């Protein structure tokens, strides 16, 4: 088991957020819902303080830490997808209920968490050593919002 757990700060929505994320990712589950033993700046004694959950086997903790803390673009969670169907699944799922599209495969979900939804093939291309193909695909990607695998692959081949 990994020692690393990604903690997501929430303002009273930890349980709702964990359930939402588990509905988007296959093989996911809420592990525990823990109440605060004392009054905190977030929840009061007896209210939900943390929710431990797994997204496709990766450990997360949603913390009802209180108001005033927002996410920035400096940290995001990336989902590397096998194909366009996976990109579309995660893109649509994470935007549901009030998310916002950004640019280049980035989005902000309704809880403010930043996500990158990218095809694994893009990383394979970048590591291929074909600098011209990589540059063409990257240039096209910079104008996209949701990434389109077919368009990226066509750009890499030099097809417009």
């Amino acid at each position: 088991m990994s020692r690393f757990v990604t903690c997501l700060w929430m303002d009273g929505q930890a349980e709702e957020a964990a359930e939402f994320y588990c509905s988007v990712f296959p093989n996911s589950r809420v592990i525990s819902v823990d109440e605060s033993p004392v009054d905190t700046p977030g929840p009061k004694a007896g209210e939900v303080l943390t929710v431990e959950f797994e997204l496709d086997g990766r450990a997360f903790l949603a913390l009802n830490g209180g108001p005033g803390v927002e996410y920035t673009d400096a940290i995001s969670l990336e989902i590397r997808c096998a194909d366009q169907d996976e990109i579309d699944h995660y893109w649509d799922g994470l935007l549901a209920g009030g998310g916002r599209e950004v640019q280049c495969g980035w989005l902000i979900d309704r809880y403010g968490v930043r996500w990158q939804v990218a095809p694994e093939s893009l990383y394979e291309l970048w590591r291929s050593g074909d600098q011209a193909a990589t540059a063409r695909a990257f240039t096209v990607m910079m104008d996209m919002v949701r990434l389109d695998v077919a368009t990226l692959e066509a750009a890499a081949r030099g097809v417009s």
Side-chain angles (χ1 to χ4, degrees):
M1 177 154 185
S2 174
R3 296 175 187 236
F4 294 99
V5 176
T6 301
C7 181
L8 302 174
W9 186 288
M10 300 287 162
D11 182 16
Q13 309 139 313
E15 193 167 13
E16 174 187 312
E19 290 171 1
F20 169 71
Y21 296 134
C22 287
S23 76
V24 173
F25 290 84
N27 306 312
S28 299
R29 66 189 176 113
V30 171
I31 297 168
S32 66
V33 177
D34 301 303
E35 297 175 352
S36 181
V38 298
D39 288 351
T40 71
K44 303 301 177 204
E47 296 177 346
V48 174
L49 177 63
T50 61
V51 179
E52 187 175 346
F53 61 105
E54 288 181 357
L55 299 181
D56 202 17
R58 181 175 174 177
F60 285 84
L61 183 74
L63 167 70
N64 279 329
V69 176
E70 295 184 19
Y71 297 99
T72 72
D73 293 335
I75 297 287
S76 64
L77 302 173
E78 183 180 56
I79 307 164
R80 294 193 181 172
C81 300
D83 54 29
Q84 191 67 48
D85 287 340
E86 277 193 3
I87 288 172
D88 294 344
H89 167 79
Y90 290 115
W91 190 266
D92 294 337
L94 290 167
L95 287 173
R100 180 170 59 91
E101 296 177 329
V102 183
Q103 183 85 17
C104 303
W106 289 61
L107 63 86
I108 301 171
D109 71 27
R110 65 185 179 198
Y111 302 102
V113 177
R114 273 64 171 166
W115 297 85
Q116 296 175 62
V117 184
E120 181 64 39
S121 61
L122 191 57
Y123 289 92
E124 293 166 3
L125 174 64
W126 285 344
R127 295 176 185 133
S128 72
D130 187 339
Q131 292 179 338
T134 301
R136 288 189 301 268
F138 189 83
T139 299
V140 168
M141 181 191 73
M142 296 300 289
D143 289 331
M144 291 182 175
V145 178
R146 178 190 312 222
L147 299 187
D148 182 279
V149 175
T151 302
L152 291 168
E153 289 174 352
R157 290 189 311 272
V159 178
S160 31

